[in-house]
Amino acid sequence: MSAPNAKAQAMVLAAGLGKRMRPITDTMPKPLISVAGKPMLDHVLDKLANAGVRQAVVNSHYLGQQIIDHVATRTAPAIVTSPEEDLLETGGGVKNALSKLDDDAVLIANADVFWTEGAEPLFDRLFNAFDPDHMDALLALYPVADGYGYDGAGDFFWQVDGRLKRRVDAPSAPYFFTGVQVLAPHLFEDTPDGAWSLNVVYDKALAAGRCYGLVHDGGYFHIGTPEALKESEPVIAQALEVERAKKEASGGV
């Protein structure tokens, strides 16, 4: 699929191996696993379309042709594919696609995450909150205590001014990273070639005091295993019903 003339405003990371989702991912990439009636990748892409994003880059590696075939007919957003012969991880994957992405700020989301919206859609909140004069990174966070299926110790402390501080040696932190973010592309200057994690650019932004957080106010579901998928389905269905009711009450479509 050839790139449109304008650069993409968003990127969806869909190249991972999905090992914890085996045996489902023996024959299907994790982003194409159905949750609440459609693939997780489509939930993310539909949210981008609702936020007004006209085109997005989707990378692929593991069973990548399935990803490429799946997005081939989408028009909202229009998809620019970024196949990876070798798995480049999150940082390398974004760097590999930089020539196809907006030069000022890029909205990036993992393809295998699922959330329901709060008072305002998460992507809209991130776009509106990102301030390039003060920020190089704006990460969407979620409270550890409220994340369905999340059993980690948290990633960040969210400071009074909105800037983030890593958990480091603390036994726990109150917020975890959701996999959704806005990044300034210049963060990728002087970064490694090949495979590497986005943690490299987060650390760069943290060191400069330019890494901020935004706490998502809707629902968030961590779906890491086939068992978690099965257990979460009825809870997700209920959460989506609540989301629809709120949207109708506010006059939304």
Side-chain angles (χ1 to χ4, degrees), residues 51 75 157 228 244:
T75 56
F157 295 95
R244 276 191 289 269

Side-chain angles (χ1 to χ4, degrees), residues 31-46:
L32 295 187
I33 293 174
S34 180
V35 174
K38 64 183 173 183
M40 285 192 276
L41 174 58
D42 283 339
H43 282 288
V44 177
L45 292 173
D46 288 349

Side-chain angles (χ1 to χ4, degrees), residues 110 113-115 122 139-158 164-167 172-180 202 213-216 218-223:
N110 294 348
V113 298
F114 186 87
W115 70 92
L122 178 57
L139 311 186
L141 308 178
Y142 204 73
V144 166
D146 298 333
Y148 184 90
Y150 179 80
D151 59 1
D155 302 310
F156 292 104
F157 295 95
W158 191 52
L164 298 182
K165 181 181 178 183
R166 279 198 187 274
R167 177 168 64 89
S172 63
Y175 298 98
F176 66 88
F177 174 49
T178 63
V180 183
Y202 303 155
L214 180 149
V215 179
H216 176 49
Y220 188 89
F221 298 82
H222 182 77
I223 306 172

Side-chain angles (χ1 to χ4, degrees), residues 51 107 120-132 135 138 182 214:
L107 179 60
E120 295 178 67
L122 178 57
F123 286 149
D124 290 342
R125 291 184 66 209
L126 283 167
F127 272 135
N128 293 335
F130 186 75
D131 176 3
M135 302 175 185
L138 178 62
V182 178
L214 180 149

Side-chain angles (χ1 to χ4, degrees), residues 5 27-28 30 45 50 53 74 83-84 94 129 135 144-145 149 154 159 164 170 182 185 207 228 231 245:
N5 292 330
T27 56
M28 174 189 295
K30 186 180 177 185
L45 292 173
N50 290 338
V53 173
R74 284 198 72 109
E84 298 174 9
V94 176
M135 302 175 185
V144 166
Q159 302 181 104
L164 298 182
V182 178
E231 291 170 5

Side-chain angles (χ1 to χ4, degrees), residues 202-253:
Y202 303 155
D203 286 341
K204 184 187 290 190
L206 285 162
R210 294 177 61 86
C211 185
Y212 285 73
L214 180 149
V215 179
H216 176 49
D217 61 347
Y220 188 89
F221 298 82
H222 182 77
I223 306 172
T225 65
E227 294 75 23
L229 175 64
K230 185 177 180 180
E231 291 170 5
S232 65
E233 281 281 11
V235 184
I236 287 173
Q238 186 176 17
L240 286 172
E241 194 57 43
V242 171
E243 183 184 70
R244 276 191 289 269
K246 286 181 179 177
K247 190 178 292 185
E248 289 172 4
S250 65
V253 178

